[in-house]
Amino acid sequence: MTMNETAHAPNRSIFWAKTFIDELARCGLEAVCIAPGSRSTPLTIACADNPRLRVYSHIDERSAAFFALGLAQASGRPAAVISSSGTATANFHPAVIEAKYAGVPLLILTADRPHELRDSGANQTIDQIKLYGDHVLWSVDAALPEAEPPAVAVRALRTLACRAYALAAGLPAGPVHINFPFRKPLEPIPVAGDYGQLDAPPSAPPLTRIVRGILQPSPPQLDQLTAIIAEHPQGWIVCGPACPSGDFPAAVAALARASGYPILADPLSGVRFHPDSAAVVVGGYDTFLIGDMPDMRPPQVVVRFGAVPTSRWLNEYLDHIQPAHRIHIRASGVWADDAHRTSLFVQADEIAVCQALARRLESGGRSTPPLPHEAITWQTFEQEFAGGAYFDGAVLADVVDCLPEDSALFVGNSLPVRHLDQFARPAHKRIRVFANRGASGIDGVVSSALGAAAARPDQPLALVIGDLSFYHDMNGLLAARRSGIQNITIVLLNNDGGGIFHRLPIQDFDPPFTELFVTPHGLDFQHAARLYGLEYQRADERSVFRQVLMACLKQPGAHIIEVRTDARRDLKRRTELVQAVRTRLAAIIQPEV
């Protein structure tokens, strides 16, 4: 239908839904994920009739919500997800939690029964008021549609849409929940006496434009930060997950060059794989900070950006050293220091702070000395990868190496994200890396990756995921065919269970270790590929894997490449690599006298 055709609604419920959805589209909403249901019919019709929206149809509510989460991550804009009433709404909750803790803009639109049916024994009726608790930034029970609403009620509905969109996209970003009670008829059936004329022409802007300025650092704040850095020549810049996008990699690299501080960049920071920053980035810390490495001079100042780093060893090292200053700069003001060591928290725009400090410090004449530990780590890995048995950590290194410029990588939780952190060398090519690290669950990862791929359909995306996480969201694979996604390659690391538990002390207690923690499943995933219509290949050797991966990345379609590994062997291989680095460091940095 055209926008002119959507200007009329046959009854109050359709009018109410179309008014709200129309206003969201005017605010900038482009994508909405819809799970089928009866009570949500007005919202579904409103989305289907709006030419500004791309509608993704999902059978499963949990998959729909995580797909919307991936869309929002990759696009940087709010995505909406719609469900019917009852337990369907509860299936959104895991994705809502992830959106809250990851700061992902999400609009949760749930349909509900009218007030007279609540607590009445009516079928498919639960308490949906503030269903998601503190896991949303805002929760609103919208008013019931009226036959002839006063003008102020219609303006309030449009303003509600504007406020919800702006809050979801704000700082911090996150999920916003709007609950819509509807009475029958739900379908576009004419009802005599109901008001049906939308009050805004197609070309009209949003009723309320909500804009946000940049929180600039004050001159006294910059004076203090400049003095700290100038007085302490030894320092580190630590970029954790969820750093700002856009100009941040170039800005923080300029600060690194002006201060002489190297950047320890988490793979989820947006800084490790970027042409503007790779030259001053250190990425081998998850290896050379294990235990007491030779001649590791601790920094006098630690300047942090983003969330808590992924690396256990980096976090433990930062917790045990005693720098003169620990500074965290974050515009959102969200606390991210589980060790509670921060001595100065600066709530200001990260890019503005980096640019201003770089200008003030650029005449200092410092250079960023490379940590010798960094070069030795990657040289050792390169030699060992060429000569040793293939293992899951090397798979992550190869994925990053094979991905082309301006591509994307979605990485699963548990072992894959840790392997990416440890074994993926900083690169001068731009790779956008996504992960569900807000709550770090293994559920919904397939759906989120498919959503991220849908947001950038012209650029290849690789998903690296473990077998248990893949199993958790196999039904999410249906979205590849239903949504026409042709740019995703899924690298499935199958070690037949929860390999990460081999890193924990519980491995020494069997039983119950194997059956209740590792949980081997014995599944053959090529059947899942066939069921959902994805191309499947298996590649257990390095040369075969790289060849298959590069071919899949160049070909349109949805592919699964399964790599069978052994968790105990992989852990042993990782331990050997760490020891090889330690041996070379001891010999080179502290030679025997």
Side-chain angles (χ1 to χ4, degrees):
M1 291 186 179
T2 67
M3 184 61 76
N4 287 333
E5 290 176 301
T6 68
H8 300 275
N11 60 55
R12 68 190 71 180
S13 293
I14 299 295
F15 168 77
W16 213 240
K18 284 192 172 185
T19 299
F20 186 85
I21 295 298
D22 175 68
E23 195 66 29
L24 283 181
R26 294 173 193 273
C27 290
L29 182 69
E30 295 180 352
V32 57
C33 298
I34 300 176
S38 175
R39 190 62 53 169
S40 54
T41 296
L43 293 169
T44 299
I45 293 295
C47 292
D49 284 354
N50 196 305
R52 289 190 174 101
L53 299 181
R54 171 71 188 271
V55 176
Y56 297 90
S57 174
H58 297 265
I59 297 174
D60 176 79
E61 284 84 8
R62 188 180 73 165
S63 179
F66 274 108
F67 190 97
L69 186 83
L71 278 168
Q73 285 189 72
S75 68
R77 296 185 298 273
V81 60
I82 292 174
S83 80
S84 188
S85 62
T87 57
T89 62
N91 282 283
F92 286 170
H93 208 154
V96 171
I97 292 172
E98 175 61 29
K100 170 66 186 303
Y101 288 103
V104 177
L106 205 61
L107 293 165
I108 306 101
L109 311 181
T110 57
D112 199 356
R113 303 301 173 104
H115 298 71
E116 66 271 13
L117 295 184
R118 298 173 182 175
D119 296 315
S120 69
N123 185 46
Q124 204 172 335
T125 306
I126 67 171
D127 185 359
Q128 297 178 198
I129 308 302
K130 298 189 182 298
L131 175 66
Y132 308 109
D134 291 337
H135 291 135
V136 294
L137 302 178
W138 192 30
S139 182
V140 178
D141 189 32
L144 272 166
E146 301 181 49
E148 295 184 5
V152 66
V154 178
R155 292 198 303 271
L157 184 63
R158 287 194 176 275
T159 302
L160 175 63
C162 297
R163 295 171 66 192
Y165 187 92
L167 186 58
L171 196 64
V176 171
H177 174 215
I178 310 296
N179 190 59
F180 287 92
F182 292 115
R183 292 192 181 102
K184 294 182 177 181
L186 306 170
E187 298 75 18
I189 299 171
V191 174
D194 276 13
Y195 183 82
Q197 180 70 40
L198 271 69
D199 61 349
S203 60
L207 178 65
T208 304
R209 294 182 66 246
I210 301 175
V211 297
R212 185 181 70 249
I214 295 176
L215 189 60
Q216 295 283 355
S218 68
Q221 290 170 339
L222 292 173
D223 290 342
Q224 181 183 17
L225 293 172
T226 302
I228 290 173
I229 296 173
E231 292 169 8
H232 299 87
Q234 303 294 330
W236 287 358
I237 298 171
V238 177
C239 291
C243 283
S245 56
D247 295 333
F248 179 74
V252 74
L255 175 59
R257 288 188 290 268
S259 64
Y261 293 2
I263 302 172
L264 280 68
D266 190 282
L268 304 178
S269 65
V271 178
R272 187 185 288 200
F273 312 116
H274 200 285
D276 292 337
S277 54
V280 288
V281 163
V282 171
Y285 50 80
D286 197 56
T287 296
F288 65 69
L289 289 180
I290 295 178
D292 296 322
M293 279 296 183
D295 193 34
M296 177 54 64
R297 182 181 299 176
Q300 301 165 315
V301 175
V302 176
V303 182
R304 282 191 51 219
F305 296 93
V308 175
T310 302
S311 170
R312 166 193 170 186
W313 300 108
L314 174 57
N315 290 324
E316 287 192 2
Y317 181 81
L318 294 176
D319 186 32
H320 286 98
I321 63 174
Q322 300 295 326
H325 300 276
R326 298 175 187 262
I327 302 165
H328 194 182
I329 301 168
R330 204 172 196 195
S332 68
V334 174
W335 186 261
D337 176 12
D338 53 350
H340 303 283
R341 297 281 193 180
T342 301
S343 59
L344 175 61
F345 189 104
V346 180
Q347 186 174 1
D349 182 77
E350 296 93 336
I351 297 173
V353 172
C354 288
Q355 291 173 338
L357 288 177
R359 287 193 296 268
R360 287 169 170 241
L361 294 165
E362 62 184 356
S363 61
R366 290 186 190 171
S367 61
T368 306
L371 290 172
H373 305 69
E374 173 78 354
I376 291 170
T377 296
W378 298 118
Q379 290 168 6
T380 304
F381 282 173
E382 184 176 352
Q383 295 171 2
E384 293 289 332
F385 288 169
Y390 205 40
F391 76 112
D392 51 4
V395 172
L396 269 299
D398 283 340
V399 169
V400 170
D401 187 48
C402 293
L403 280 170
E405 169 72 20
D406 203 23
S407 57
L409 170 63
F410 207 107
V411 61
N413 286 313
S414 197
L415 284 179
V417 70
R418 290 171 171 83
H419 288 329
L420 180 69
D421 196 15
Q422 185 170 15
F423 298 112
R425 188 171 189 168
H428 287 266
K429 59 185 175 182
R430 183 182 287 99
I431 301 174
R432 297 185 67 192
V433 184
F434 306 103
N436 289 346
R437 291 298 289 174
S440 300
I442 66 170
D443 51 343
V445 174
V446 170
S447 297
S448 293
L450 288 167
R456 309 171 80 232
D458 298 328
Q459 296 161 320
L461 181 144
L463 163 65
V464 183
I465 188 171
D467 50 319
L468 291 188
S469 185
F470 184 84
Y471 166 77
H472 261 269
D473 197 22
M474 280 195 298
N475 58 344
L477 292 171
L478 185 61
R481 186 174 73 243
R482 287 181 60 84
S483 299
I485 296 171
Q486 295 289 303
N487 61 323
I488 189 167
T489 299
I490 300 173
V491 177
L492 170 58
L493 300 178
N494 182 5
N495 57 21
D496 194 27
I500 195 169
F501 290 107
H502 289 282
R503 294 190 180 190
L504 303 178
I506 191 62
Q507 70 167 328
D508 297 327
F509 299 87
D510 200 1
F513 175 64
T514 299
E515 186 62 27
L516 298 182
F517 290 88
V518 177
T519 57
H521 48 75
L523 296 174
D524 186 345
F525 288 110
Q526 66 177 319
H527 300 303
R530 186 177 302 114
L531 175 65
Y532 291 108
L534 277 71
E535 299 180 22
Y536 173 90
Q537 297 183 72
R538 181 172 166 183
D540 298 342
E541 298 179 1
R542 189 181 192 194
S543 59
V544 175
F545 173 76
R546 289 177 63 94
Q547 182 180 4
V548 170
L549 175 62
M550 287 189 285
C552 290
L553 291 172
K554 294 176 182 177
Q555 298 170 2
H559 313 268
I560 295 177
I561 305 172
E562 182 176 357
V563 182
R564 297 279 182 92
T565 69
D566 179 271
R568 292 186 184 276
R569 184 198 66 195
D570 291 347
L571 180 60
K572 181 175 181 291
R573 187 76 181 110
R574 174 179 176 269
T575 303
E576 292 170 349
L577 285 166
V578 172
Q579 186 56 49
V581 172
R582 294 179 66 91
T583 300
R584 290 197 65 189
L585 283 170
I588 296 174
I589 295 180
Q590 286 188 341
E592 294 182 2
V593 178

